Amino acid sequence: MKLTREEVLKIAKLARLHLEEEDIAKYQEDLGSILSYVEKLQELNTDDVPEFQHAAGSVNMFREDVVENCDPDVRRRAIDNFASREGDLLKVQAVFENRTE
Amino acid sequence: MDVSTWTIKEAGEKLASGALSAEALTRSCLDTIEQGDTDVKAFLNVSETALEEARAIDVRRAAGESLGSLAGIPVGTKDVILVQDWETTGGSRILEGYNAPYDATAVERLRAAGAILLGRTNCDEFAMGSSNENSHYPPTTNPWDKTKVPGGSSGGSAAAVAAGFVPAALGSETGGSVRQPASLCGIVGLKPTYGRVSRYGLMALSSSMDQIGPLAHTVEDVALLLQAIEGRDPKDGTSAELSNTTIPALIEKDVSGMTLGVPKEYFASGMDSQVAAVVNEAIAELERAGAKIQEISMPHSEYALAAYYIIQPAEASSNLGRFDGLRYGYHSGGENLQETYERTRGEGFGKEVKRRIMLGSYTLSAGYYDAYYRKALKVRTLIKRDFDEAFKNVDAIVCPTSPTVAWNIGEKFDDPLSMYLADIYTVTANLATIPGMSVPCGFVDGLPVGLQILAKPFDEYALFRIGATYQDRTNWHKQSPT
C-alpha cells in the first residue's frame, strides 16, 4: 500500500507542515508501509473489548477553583521566548482574513 | 583521577568521608567529557554553573549541614527535560534558542537531593527514534563501538553513563527510550510505572505513556535516583500518591521463592539467536539464585508494536501542535499565519517527526479514526489484560530488552519500519503502564546485551530485587568500553 500524493498533501495541510517537493514521494512510501504494518490489528476481533482510556487509573483529581498566578520570574522568562511581542503580549499575524461584515 | 567506572554509591562514600570533594568530582567529569566526547557526542552542552554548585555543596558539607542523598553527584539530563535558563531543544531545530523558563519537577527534586546538573544530553528529536540519529544535532555514537548507534531515544544519556562521563543520567521513555539504549550501551535503565514520576517540565510526546527514568551502572544507583525524583506532584495530575516510596536500603539481594515468567512470544521471529542465548543464560543464573522459572504466554504481544505505532503518533501529532513558531524557538515567517505555521513546522521539524505527525493526523482523521485509533485502544486493553493474567501466576517477567545488539550508524535510518521493530519488546510495558528495567547481562561480538525485567504496576521493588541479585552474582556492569 502506498498513499497517493494527494493524501500526503492533504494530511500535511491538516498538520500545518510544509513539505519539500523531493520528500513527498518518500512520505507516500513510508507512511504506506507503516499503515500496512499496523493493518495487522484487523486480524483481532475486538467487538467486546473496551477501549483503554485511563493510563493513570486515578479519577477526578480536583483542586480548589482559585486563581494561582504564575511566578513572575517564570512568566518573564516565558515571555522572553516569544518570537514577536508588544509589551507582554504575543504578537501574531491576523488569524481571520478576508472578513466580510 | 579516573571516575569513569564509579557508581553513585562509591562516589557518595568518598564524598561523605572527605576523600573527594564535589568540586573535584565535577571537574573530573567535565574534563573527561572535554577529552572523550568529541567522538561520542553524548552532551549537547555542559553547565557553566556546575563547578560553582559543586563548591556550594562542599561548603555546606564542611559546615556540617545535612545533605541530600545525591549531594555532589553529577547527573546528565536528556534534552527533553527542562532545566531553568538552559537552552532546551528536544533535539529539534524548532526549539533552537528556546530557554527553559523553569525546572522540571524531576530536576527540582534532583537539585533538592544535592545533585549537580552537569549538562543536557543528546536524543532523537522529541524522543522519536531508537538510534539517536533523528537528533537535529550530530548523532551520539555507542562508546563500545563508535561505528554503532547507542540506541534511543535517550541515547545521549545512556552513552554518557557508559562512557564514564557521568555516574548517572535521566532519560525519558514512551516506548523503550530508556531501556533500549541502556541495553545497547551496557548499563541499567529504568522505566518507572506510569504515574510514579512527575512529567511536569518534560516535553510531551505521548501523554498516556511518557515517563522520566534514570540510567546508571547499577540497580542500586537507579533506585537512589528514583527515590529522589518519584512521588506525587500537584503540577502533574497523573502523578500518584505512593504507598511504597523507594528506599534503596530495603532492596534484598535474594530471589529465592520468586516466580519469574518467561514469555515465549519474546523470543520469536526477528530475535537474534546469540542475543537470545545470552538472555537465556542470564535467566538460568536467576534460577541458580533460587528463582522459579516458568514459561508463560502473552498472546497479544505480536500486536503491541502495531497498536503502539498508532497510539503514539496520534498523541504526538496532537502534542506537537503547540510548536507554532510564535511562542518559542524557531520562527520562519510567511505571508499569512497559515504559511508561517507551515514554514516554521516544515523547516523546524525533522523527517521522522514529520512522518509521525502525519501518521497521527491520518489515523485520527475522519473516516480512519475507528479503524486505526479506536482499534488500537482496544488492543491496548488486550495487552494490559495479558499482563494482568501473567502477574496472577508470576512475580515478574524476564525477557530480552532488544532483539539485537547495537547496529551500524545509518543501517536502519532510511527504513522507518525496521527502526520501529527495534522497540518490539519494550513498547508493551508502556502500553500496559507497568515498570520495566534493563540490566546488562553479557556481550555478543563485543557489544552489550540487556536483560529486561517487567513487574506489576508500582512494584519497582521486584525489579530492583531481581536486578540487584543478578548484579551481585555477575560482573557485566563492571566492564567498561576501552
Side-chain angles (χ1 to χ4, degrees), chain B residues 449-472:
Chain B
V449 176
L451 170 73
Q452 178 171 226
I453 314 168
L454 304 168
K456 295 183 195 85
F458 297 102
D459 193 10
E460 275 79 357
Y461 268 115
L463 306 181
F464 295 150
R465 186 174 160 193
I466 298 159
T469 304
Y470 182 76
Q471 289 199 318
D472 205 34

Side-chain angles (χ1 to χ4, degrees), chain A residues 3 7 11-13 15-19 23 26-27 30-31 33-35 37-44 46-47 49-52 55-56 61 74 77-78 81-83 90 92-95 97, chain B residues 84-85 98-99 101 194 208 232 237 302-303 305-306 310 325-328 334 336-338 340-342 345-346 351 354-355 357-359 361-362 371-372 374-375 377-378 380-381 385 414 420 433:
Chain A
L3 291 192
E7 283 174 311
I11 50 178
K13 187 90 185 163
R16 306 285 185 267
L17 290 171
H18 170 78
L19 301 184
D23 294 333
K26 175 89 166 107
Y27 284 122
D30 288 348
L31 295 173
S33 77
I34 298 163
L35 288 168
Y37 177 78
V38 301
E39 278 296 317
K40 196 179 170 61
L41 297 189
Q42 304 307 328
E43 293 168 12
L44 286 171
T46 53
D47 289 349
V49 181
E51 293 156 32
F52 183 98
M61 303 298 291
V74 173
R77 289 189 289 265
N81 277 302
F82 291 172
L90 175 66
V92 300
Q93 288 159 296
V95 175
E97 286 174 295
Chain B
Q84 190 188 306
D85 295 329
Y98 171 70
N99 292 314
Y194 185 85
S208 76
R232 171 80 188 150
E302 65 167 303
Y303 300 98
L305 196 73
I310 292 172
L326 303 171
R327 289 170 295 163
Y328 13 65
N336 52 44
L337 190 59
Q338 171 82 16
T340 297
Y341 289 151
E342 288 180 2
R345 292 163 61 82
K351 284 201 169 69
K354 280 188 265 196
R355 200 149 43 211
I357 291 175
M358 285 196 281
L359 190 60
S361 304
Y362 183 83
Y372 290 106
R374 197 184 295 273
K375 183 81 181 180
L377 290 182
K378 289 176 167 215
R380 189 173 180 185
T381 298
R385 285 180 184 169
D414 285 324
Y420 295 175
T433 73

Side-chain angles (χ1 to χ4, degrees), chain B residues 227-251:
Chain B
Q227 180 188 36
I229 63 174
E230 70 186 358
R232 171 80 188 150
D233 170 19
K235 290 173 179 158
D236 176 358
T238 63
S239 66
E241 287 291 354
L242 297 179
S243 54
N244 58 343
T245 303
T246 302
I247 300 170
L250 295 184
I251 301 171

Side-chain angles (χ1 to χ4, degrees), chain B residues 262-269 296-302 425:
Chain B
V262 181
K264 57 178 191 230
E265 292 84 0
Y266 282 62
F267 291 84
S269 61
I296 57 169
S297 175
M298 316 269 295
H300 298 98
S301 303
E302 65 167 303
Y425 301 135

Side-chain angles (χ1 to χ4, degrees), chain B residues 248-286:
Chain B
L250 295 184
I251 301 171
E252 294 168 78
K253 291 178 182 170
D254 177 14
V255 292
S256 51
M258 287 187 103
T259 305
L260 307 181
V262 181
K264 57 178 191 230
E265 292 84 0
Y266 282 62
F267 291 84
S269 61
M271 181 71 203
D272 179 286
S273 61
Q274 288 175 284
V275 172
V278 167
V279 171
N280 278 321
E281 172 47 33
I283 294 169
E285 184 62 43
L286 289 167

Side-chain angles (χ1 to χ4, degrees), chain B residues 364-434:
Chain B
L364 290 177
S365 63
Y368 297 106
Y369 182 88
D370 283 349
Y372 290 106
Y373 186 65
R374 197 184 295 273
K375 183 81 181 180
L377 290 182
K378 289 176 167 215
V379 174
R380 189 173 180 185
T381 298
L382 293 174
I383 288 156
K384 174 77 177 154
R385 285 180 184 169
D386 276 0
F387 279 103
D388 291 346
E389 277 306 306
F391 288 130
K392 284 180 187 164
N393 301 310
V394 301
D395 298 301
I397 290 168
V398 284
C399 58
T401 307
S402 161
T404 66
V405 290
W407 58 89
N408 291 327
I409 291 170
E411 192 177 325
K412 298 182 182 181
F413 187 60
D414 285 324
D415 182 1
L417 194 56
S418 80
M419 187 75 86
Y420 295 175
L421 286 164
D423 303 336
I424 195 154
Y425 301 135
T426 48
V427 295
T428 49
N430 306 78
L431 288 167
T433 73
I434 62 169

